[in-house]
Amino acid sequence: METNSFDAIVVGSGMSGGWAAKELTEKGLKTLVLERGRMVKHGEYPTATKNPWDLPYGNRITQETRKHKYVWSRTGYPTPANEHWMIDDLENPFVEEAPFDWMRGHHVGGRSIMWARQSYRFGPLDMEANGKEGVGVPWPVTYDEIAPWYDKAEIFAGISGSADGLYQLPDGKYLPPHDLNCVETDFKRRLDDKLGRKLIIGRCANLTAPLTHNESPQRGTCQARNLCIRGCPYGGYFSSVSATLPSAERTGNMTLLADQIVYELIYDNDRGKATGVRVLDAKTGNQTDYFAKIVFLCASALGSAYIMLNSTSARFPNGFGNDSGELGHNIMDHNKPGSSNASVEGYLDVAYTGRRPNGFYIPRYRNVGKDKRNYLRGFGYQGRAARAGYARFNDSAAIGEDLKKEFQEPGPWNISMTAFGEILPYHDNHCRIDRDKKDKYGLPLLVVNAIVRDNERKMEEDMKNDAAEMLTAAGFKDVKVRSDSYNVGNSIHEMGTARMGADPKKSVLNKFNQVHACKNVFVTDGSFMPSSGCQNPSLTYMAFTARAADHAVSELKKGNL
Amino acid sequence: MSAPEMNTHEPEILRRRELLKRAAWLLGGAISAPAALAILQGCSAKDADTAAPVALKVLSAAQLALVAEIAETMIPKTTTSGAKDAGVPAFIDQVLDAVYPKDAQQRFTAGLADFEAAAKAADKSFLDRDPADRAAFVKQSLEAALAGEREPKPFILMARELTLLGFFTSQVGIDENMDYVAVPGAYHGCVPLSQMKKHVYWE
């Protein structure tokens, strides 16, 4: 049907889908963007300007929310201020063979609205490790090849940070860094002096100054409210709703449809190509087919894997493009088995103003240079120092006038930090489809089975010991290291279900995110990652999506797709 | 950026009362609790005959009255507002209902009964004591709880946490005790306290 035909289809409107939409439309392609959740336009953030007293229940999660958003609730994320971005897990079931914290946001913008905005490059250390160590498959792309695309992503998105000259964490094109606070600045100096470890300000997608380009007139600078997860009416941080989708919209080439659940790729056996996607309307249940020359899957690592696994044909009986048998396998995330904190004496005559939507970062130092451990890869810490608020009185006997006097003074300083470690790509960590179990749309359920293994457990020892060592070396008191049980998925950095590699027998995608066995389908969300690094991965999805879109259009023009 | 315009504190109490009234209307059957409303309004029980009904969720009117005085003892009205001015009693009832699981609600109400029984055993009903006597009893309860077993959380510490939460998420609690700026505009990492107005909103 004529009206259902486009040059390109993008499945998903989050971090990757937004970039695919922007790049493809800017290059002139009539592009259909399909989002399974509801419509959200920049500025439509219902709780963004609410004051603390405007929110019910002191902004505490209710029992009703716990029941419905039970996967999300394991993490403690949902509150009345943000839960509208978090899906109802009861209505969107999947099968957990091992507990898996699959946190989904079904709406235009996806999780790019709720992300924590930490934006780090993967460097040569990360991208060469698989090849050197014989783990998984080697990255088919070098750091030098992707570096210009990181530049492009950082400049457009607006990433703030400092250039620190670290081999393990390449510098980028940054807006001015946020301040470290007084305690963090001293912590940085002591860590360097005593342990030779570096502490830097977080590199985050918040505009600490106006953008250096004029492609996003709808965006203003960060107002230091630190309410980002609600959506920012100022456009002070990057999301697909605030940045990439408006750019795509302005080209006049984008058609964005919400409430459209893509569940299958349509494959033409004779032409050896995908011709489009099959869609259910989330509200009416009606089925529609949409057609295009190229398809970008940007539905999240498990979301895209689901669509591919569910797309079987004579050519692909085990899932779309699954000649290698790796589709759905090698699920990774970041290992986050606990956090640590300490009290800080002194600094009572200094504080900070504004609420910084960012913290400090201690980049990986394990298995870097001459350091050699009994495990592979490494971890970084994200944390902050702050003065305690009123909650410190939960454990005090002060009442009456004494209490009132005390809570008008700022509390003592404390410091906390959490390690994020690399998880290796294990074939056994996988998802698959169970065709006997169905959701309310009649679609089969995804089964997920992923756990942390020996390498991550060995790393966990260092994560805890090193945290205690650093906080103690800095002279902080009451150092506490907390162990949390960790489910894969909890860091919300799921990756690896359709990894890229040079060898089609061992990977699903080639170096340009094209399905090896079907070159007009591109997968550019976390699915493609051959290894997880220990850095937050979103910036890498942006860079690879932009590069894949560039390649797609150039190949299309050459008649190769 | 300049600080946002300060609102008056009156609407806070009104807002929570309106909310309760509306909730009662929506539910189709309001529980008449004039004493409870009197507490929300900060007036005495005998004035409450003319008051509109209010829907309580977990606490009875008598329990709410006791909770209100415990909260007010912790954060009393002085030259600045106290817990009752901030609507804390009704807030506690709402949060117990929506946020706490049933077993925790029951621990709270059982703990409240024990609290009153202990007050009576020691001397007389908590509500019959004067403010100084109430303060001494609450402080003693807090000290005992902080020195003892914390799991499950003792009643007095549950009451304290809810009082602090209710007070510091209310407009009066924030405006009168913190320098809350809705839109700070920028973050400055290391500022001498002497250059700051008062307790900045840290949470």
Side-chain angles (χ1 to χ4, degrees), chain B residues 126-150:
Chain B
F126 186 74
L127 294 178
D128 291 341
R129 297 171 179 230
D130 65 27
D133 203 9
R134 286 179 185 178
F137 190 73
V138 165
K139 194 159 181 68
Q140 192 191 343
S141 304
L142 277 170
E143 281 166 354
L146 289 167
E149 183 64 46
R150 305 273 194 96

Side-chain angles (χ1 to χ4, degrees), chain A residues 184 356 358-362 381-385 415-418:
Chain A
E184 292 163 347
R356 184 184 61 188
N358 192 6
F360 64 72
Y361 188 57
I362 299 173
Y381 292 93
Q382 299 181 23
R384 62 171 61 226
I415 187 164
S416 61
M417 57 193 209
T418 301

Side-chain angles (χ1 to χ4, degrees), chain A residues 116-251:
Chain A
R117 306 167 308 286
Q118 293 291 299
S119 303
Y120 303 97
R121 294 184 176 206
F122 278 43
L125 182 70
D126 305 297
M127 297 177 68
E128 291 167 7
N130 277 6
K132 283 182 178 166
E133 295 165 358
V135 171
V137 292
W139 280 70
V141 180
T142 64
Y143 175 70
D144 287 343
E145 284 175 271
I146 198 65
W149 298 97
Y150 273 129
D151 288 356
K152 179 184 169 79
E154 285 159 347
I155 290 166
F156 177 78
I159 310 295
S160 71
S162 57
D164 301 292
L166 301 171
Y167 166 70
Q168 67 271 41
L169 194 73
D171 293 329
K173 306 285 184 193
Y174 298 131
L175 296 172
H178 275 120
D179 287 355
L180 291 169
N181 64 42
C182 333
V183 169
E184 292 163 347
T185 300
D186 284 357
F187 186 34
K188 174 190 173 84
R189 199 184 63 244
R190 285 175 197 157
L191 273 185
D192 203 357
D193 289 352
K194 296 192 174 168
L195 298 167
R197 292 179 195 157
K198 306 299 176 191
L199 180 151
I200 64 174
I201 184 68
R203 296 169 177 177
C204 71
N206 288 72
L207 306 188
T208 51
L211 285 162
T212 54
H213 60 79
N214 55 12
E215 293 175 58
S216 296
Q218 74 280 9
R219 296 189 63 193
T221 54
C222 173
Q223 300 299 307
R225 304 183 321 140
N226 195 23
L227 301 178
C228 317
I229 197 169
R230 302 183 189 178
C232 182
Y234 303 92
Y237 77 96
F238 174 88
S239 71
S240 63
V241 172
S242 75
T244 43
L245 292 176
S247 284
E249 179 79 44
R250 276 192 291 270
T251 65

Side-chain angles (χ1 to χ4, degrees), chain B residues 1 4 45 82 91 113 133 157 170 175 180 196 200:
Chain B
M1 297 291 293
F91 173 86
D133 203 9
L157 293 180
S170 74
D175 282 351
Y180 172 68
M196 297 168 66
V200 164

Side-chain angles (χ1 to χ4, degrees), chain A residues 182 351 389-390 393 404 407-408, chain B residues 76 160 177 190-191 193 199 203:
Chain A
C182 333
Y390 69 80
F393 296 109
K404 291 182 91 167
F407 61 51
Q408 288 180 352
Chain B
R160 182 175 184 82
N177 296 287
C190 203
V191 181
L193 213 54
H199 180 163
E203 304 301 324

Side-chain angles (χ1 to χ4, degrees), chain A residues 301-555:
Chain A
L302 297 187
S304 291
Y306 176 90
I307 294 166
M308 294 173 81
L309 286 164
N310 196 39
S311 305
T312 53
S313 58
R315 169 68 185 85
F316 297 120
N318 301 315
F320 195 91
N322 192 17
D323 294 349
S324 63
E326 294 295 337
L327 180 63
H329 290 269
N330 314 300
I331 292 177
M332 298 169 286
D333 184 29
H334 286 139
N335 193 20
K336 190 180 64 176
S339 60
S340 43
N341 62 74
S343 42
V344 179
E345 290 179 342
Y347 301 93
L348 296 178
D349 57 343
V350 284
Y352 42 82
T353 61
R355 295 181 289 281
R356 184 184 61 188
N358 192 6
F360 64 72
Y361 188 57
I362 299 173
R364 174 179 160 187
Y365 50 86
R366 288 298 180 203
N367 291 317
V368 177
K370 289 188 180 134
D371 185 80
K372 289 282 177 282
R373 314 301 294 174
N374 66 343
Y375 54 85
L376 300 175
R377 318 295 165 92
F379 51 88
Y381 292 93
Q382 299 181 23
R384 62 171 61 226
R387 297 197 75 158
Y390 69 80
R392 70 188 187 274
F393 296 109
N394 284 341
D395 288 335
S396 122
I399 62 166
E401 296 245 34
D402 293 346
L403 176 60
K404 291 182 91 167
K405 217 171 288 167
E406 281 185 53
F407 61 51
Q408 288 180 352
E409 298 298 319
W413 286 84
N414 51 53
I415 187 164
S416 61
M417 57 193 209
T418 301
F420 287 79
E422 183 156 357
I423 292 182
L424 295 177
Y426 301 103
H427 181 80
D428 286 348
N429 283 349
H430 74 285
C431 61
R432 62 179 190 277
I433 280 180
D434 185 339
R435 296 202 177 272
D436 295 330
K437 298 194 174 91
K438 302 279 171 69
D439 66 12
K440 64 177 179 183
Y441 304 105
L443 298 174
L445 298 192
L446 191 70
V447 180
V448 186
N449 187 336
I451 57 171
V452 293
R453 297 169 196 268
D454 284 352
N455 196 65
E456 292 76 43
R457 293 210 189 89
K458 282 183 194 156
M459 180 188 289
E460 183 180 336
E461 290 304 305
D462 267 2
M463 292 166 137
K464 290 175 181 172
N465 293 338
D466 290 4
E469 175 189 40
M470 289 190 277
L471 293 170
T472 305
F476 302 138
K477 306 292 186 225
D478 310 321
V479 174
K480 291 191 185 72
V481 178
R482 206 179 73 216
S483 280
D484 295 331
S485 70
Y486 175 78
N487 297 329
V488 180
N490 192 286
S491 297
I492 328 185
H493 298 161
E494 65 270 22
M495 295 172 254
T497 52
R499 67 186 180 191
M500 59 164 52
D503 184 352
K505 291 195 187 70
K506 294 178 178 169
S507 57
V508 181
L509 309 175
N510 72 10
K511 65 183 289 181
F512 290 107
N513 298 68
Q514 285 169 289
V515 174
H516 280 300
C518 183
K519 296 282 193 295
N520 73 331
V521 175
F522 295 75
V523 187
T524 72
D525 52 36
S527 305
F528 77 84
M529 302 285 281
S531 70
S532 70
C534 63
Q535 302 93 315
N536 307 53
S538 292
L539 183 70
T540 300
Y541 307 167
M542 298 187 212
F544 275 83
T545 304
R547 179 170 170 274
D550 183 68
H551 183 73
V553 174
S554 134
E555 288 289 284

